[in-house]
Amino acid sequence: MRRATLLAALAALTLSAACAPSVPGSSGGTSGSQAPAAGADRLTIGTTADVLNYNPLVGNSRTDSWVTDLMYPHLTQMDEAGKRIPYLATEWSYSKDGKTATAKLRDDLKWTDGKPVTADDVAYTVNAVKKENFGVVAGLITALDKAEAVSPTEVRFHLTRPDGTFLDNVGFWMPVVPKHVFGKAPSLQKFANDSNWVSAGPFNLTKVERGQRYIMDRVDDFGPGKPTIKQVVFRVFPDVNTEVLALRNGEIDLIGNVLPPATAAELKSDPKVKLQQIASLGWAHLQYNTKRKPLDDVRVRQALAHSVDYEAIRTIAMKGFAKSSNSSVLTPSQPDYMDPASKEYTFDPELSKKLLAQAGVSNLNLNMIYDQADPNIARWAPMVRDSAKKAGITINLQGLERNTYVDKSLKSDFDIYAGSWAIMDNPPANLGLAFKTGGFINYGKVTDPKLDDLIDQSQRALSPAEAKAPIQEAARIIHDQVYDNVLYVETFNIAYSTKWTGFKPMPSELLSILNPLSLVTAKPAG
């Protein structure tokens, strides 16, 4: 789901459409930042997208997340294995009945206007998101009744039901914003936040040149630790090929977006470039519209699952930078939940034909939508079409402009949806969003009472150990009913100059090596 595309981005976790506030012109910014610092004092990052939203709670592009994550703290961060680690919060816990959650905060973080970051800011942010009910965060905190600041360094969340996913969700996904700034706006969701930035991260945005660059200066008194580099500059390029040329020429130090597999393969031998590989917490998949005939018949969905040549997609389209998830939504990137008994659907056109015959379906003709700008899907979508022909299935490809693709996804206006989740980091929460009746990103319109009950059980559990059995059973239903057809888990490649070192990777395209922990420790090599 893209802390995006969920967020998408978001975050994300999704392809959610967001209100797009106004953006500043080329003279934007507030501090009158001078020209970028030179040499090792500056890290220049290539991106292919402008910042669309400066409000971190409504951002929906990769660049939105990269910039605002360096400015607005989250309660927790993530390590390389996807485990939650302290950030603004130093510790967190549930009450015995699971209906109260508490987070204790560090006391040395300040907003750039000098005011301290306190529990009041956390309570304000989460209560406002709940009240206005927008974005991915709102979909992840449905158990919240209200939050209150018990002291400047302790926030208490009152829940309407036990929810063992709440702290993980609110801690990782929700950026905390300054109440004394955002609270002056009539609406948190519609607050543009496009100038006079007050932040509490290692870097603060100081100058915007729309379509060209975004300049961020170091915050010298950043509580968790002063960054090594003085300035971060995001430069906007029209495409990945132009970014690669700029990296090789020394114009930029790092390509922010994940490289297409073919490009990563080409850069392997470049002595000036280092590839940082990061296993994804998400997956690429096909979803079938369960409310459209004949896709409402599980035998038809199974026939489609057996018409895909998974290994060819991973080997040819992904150049080997992908691994099987055994057709399960509990991927190898989630070892605490992974079900070793799950088996990948075989590529078996003859079995597909038999299943269609059993369902009384002939001359199956379906449309498949995908984001035409996604280089990976653009490579394997024709392979899905061509392998389906061997089973007598006609798939018409519809490569769409991103906004149209997002709109059709949200409206479930498709037969087959081809896409990817950038980060699915908490199975009980994620499966609720994607497969529970009425789920925020339930694009396939799945309605299954038994599945709903199992997801509810897993979410009430207060530990992964308790949640494991019901979530594994839920994943088996998703597999057997083909509510999702998982193609692979990608191995991401991030390219940067060998002149730099010290990056800390996280298993998501939206975090990669551009996360705040990483850019605090990044430094010139040698």
Side-chain angles (χ1 to χ4, degrees):
M1 289 178 316
R2 300 184 194 265
R3 199 170 28 174
T5 190
L6 213 224
L7 299 171
L10 52 216
L13 166 53
T14 92
L15 296 171
S16 62
C19 172
S22 60
V23 296
S26 61
S27 62
T30 62
S31 72
S33 174
Q34 301 301 310
D41 286 339
R42 180 183 73 245
L43 179 72
T44 303
I45 301 167
T47 180
T48 55
D50 267 303
V51 175
L52 301 178
N53 293 288
Y54 297 87
N55 182 331
L57 292 159
V58 298
N60 65 348
S61 80
R62 286 190 305 260
T63 315
D64 290 2
S65 296
W66 292 336
V67 169
T68 59
D69 277 355
L70 295 176
M71 297 169 66
Y72 300 96
H74 294 245
L75 291 174
T76 61
Q77 288 288 344
M78 180 184 288
D79 65 14
E80 191 170 354
K83 301 291 186 183
R84 299 293 192 273
I85 56 177
Y87 195 60
L88 173 56
T90 57
E91 57 183 283
W92 49 92
S93 62
Y94 291 99
S95 61
K96 288 185 178 180
D97 64 3
K99 295 182 70 174
T100 301
T102 302
K104 295 184 179 180
L105 314 180
R106 61 188 308 144
D107 62 3
D108 60 350
L109 208 57
K110 294 181 180 180
W111 299 108
T112 49
D113 62 2
K115 296 182 182 297
V117 179
T118 70
D120 206 30
D121 294 308
V122 179
Y124 160 75
T125 304
V126 70
N127 286 333
V129 169
K130 174 182 171 57
K131 179 181 178 180
E132 296 187 35
N133 192 31
F134 69 96
V136 176
V137 174
L140 292 169
I141 59 169
T142 56
L144 179 68
D145 178 23
K146 65 176 181 178
E148 64 170 331
V150 179
S151 75
T153 57
E154 184 173 338
V155 59
R156 185 171 297 154
F157 306 95
H158 300 278
L159 309 181
T160 59
R161 64 179 186 276
D163 183 358
T165 71
F166 179 83
L167 283 170
D168 269 6
N169 289 335
V170 76
F172 177 72
W173 285 103
M174 189 188 77
V176 176
V177 298
K179 178 181 178 180
H180 64 283
V181 176
F182 283 63
K184 294 177 181 178
S187 166
L188 175 62
Q189 180 182 6
K190 295 179 180 179
F191 180 49
N193 191 40
D194 56 6
S195 63
N196 301 312
W197 293 284
V198 175
S199 65
F203 297 91
N204 192 36
L205 187 61
T206 54
K207 188 173 183 180
V208 169
E209 295 177 0
R210 179 75 173 165
Q212 296 187 43
R213 65 181 183 175
Y214 297 81
I215 300 174
M216 306 187 75
D217 289 337
R218 177 173 68 191
V219 176
D220 288 332
D221 60 349
F222 180 60
K226 181 179 177 179
T228 302
I229 52 181
K230 293 182 179 180
Q231 196 171 73
V232 170
V233 179
F234 287 89
R235 279 189 56 189
V236 183
F237 291 87
D239 52 50
V240 174
N241 291 334
T242 314
E243 286 181 311
V244 170
L245 182 61
L247 179 64
R248 284 177 154 166
N249 290 342
E251 297 175 43
I252 62 175
D253 304 302
L254 187 157
I255 295 176
N257 39 287
V258 169
L259 296 178
T263 305
E266 292 174 3
L267 284 175
K268 265 186 173 182
S269 59
D270 191 322
K272 296 181 180 179
V273 175
K274 181 173 177 59
L275 294 181
Q276 176 75 61
Q277 293 192 337
I278 309 162
S280 173
L281 276 173
W283 63 79
H285 60 145
L286 300 171
Q287 283 191 289
Y288 310 111
N289 192 332
T290 63
K291 292 297 181 283
R292 286 190 179 178
K293 293 185 177 299
L295 296 169
D296 59 340
D297 189 321
V298 65
R299 293 168 296 185
V300 175
R301 299 196 297 273
Q302 290 171 342
L304 286 163
H306 285 293
S307 75
V308 178
D309 191 339
Y310 303 94
E311 189 58 32
I313 287 174
R314 293 190 290 264
T315 302
I316 299 172
M318 298 302 295
K319 301 294 185 182
F321 294 119
K323 56 187 176 182
S324 172
S325 77
N326 298 319
S327 295
S328 175
V329 293
L330 300 178
T331 73
S333 299
Q334 290 285 350
D336 288 344
Y337 294 98
M338 183 183 170
D339 184 357
S342 185
K343 302 298 180 185
E344 184 168 78
Y345 283 105
T346 57
F347 173 45
D348 192 338
E350 293 306 312
L351 178 55
S352 292
K353 292 176 182 178
K354 291 178 182 178
L355 288 163
L356 290 176
Q358 292 172 12
V361 174
S362 59
N363 301 318
L364 185 59
N365 191 313
L366 301 169
N367 295 324
M368 184 172 86
I369 67 169
Y370 66 96
D371 180 356
Q372 64 185 3
D374 187 311
N376 290 348
I377 300 179
R379 286 179 64 89
W380 57 251
M383 298 177 69
V384 172
R385 175 197 62 198
D386 295 344
S387 63
K389 287 181 182 177
K390 298 178 181 179
I393 300 169
T394 299
I395 294 179
N396 306 299
L397 301 183
Q398 295 184 344
L400 305 173
E401 180 273 329
R402 179 170 174 77
N403 288 338
T404 304
Y405 170 68
V406 170
D407 184 61
K408 284 183 172 290
S409 302
L410 292 169
K411 293 178 179 177
S412 298
D413 184 12
F414 57 81
D415 296 323
I416 305 174
Y417 160 91
S420 63
W421 299 138
I423 178 166
M424 299 292 265
D425 61 313
N426 185 319
N430 304 148
L431 300 195
L433 286 169
F435 304 106
K436 191 175 175 183
T437 303
F440 185 67
I441 50 174
N442 184 353
Y443 297 157
K445 294 294 183 183
V446 174
T447 303
D448 187 322
K450 184 177 180 180
L451 180 59
D452 289 349
D453 182 61
L454 288 166
I455 293 173
D456 284 343
Q457 289 181 42
S458 71
Q459 291 182 348
R460 287 194 296 269
L462 300 183
S463 71
E466 293 177 73
K468 185 173 182 177
I471 209 64
Q472 284 188 340
E473 188 175 349
R476 292 184 199 112
I477 291 174
I478 294 167
H479 174 283
D480 295 346
Q481 293 295 316
V482 201
Y483 291 144
D484 201 359
N485 186 9
V486 183
L487 308 183
Y488 59 81
V489 175
E490 184 177 357
T491 299
F492 292 136
N493 283 279
I494 305 294
Y496 63 91
S497 168
T498 54
K499 294 180 179 179
W500 287 87
T501 189
F503 296 110
K504 292 184 177 181
M506 293 187 187
S508 164
E509 181 179 5
L510 293 164
L511 299 170
S512 67
I513 58 176
L514 301 187
N515 62 80
L517 295 178
S518 180
L519 294 195
V520 164
T521 58
K523 60 184 179 181

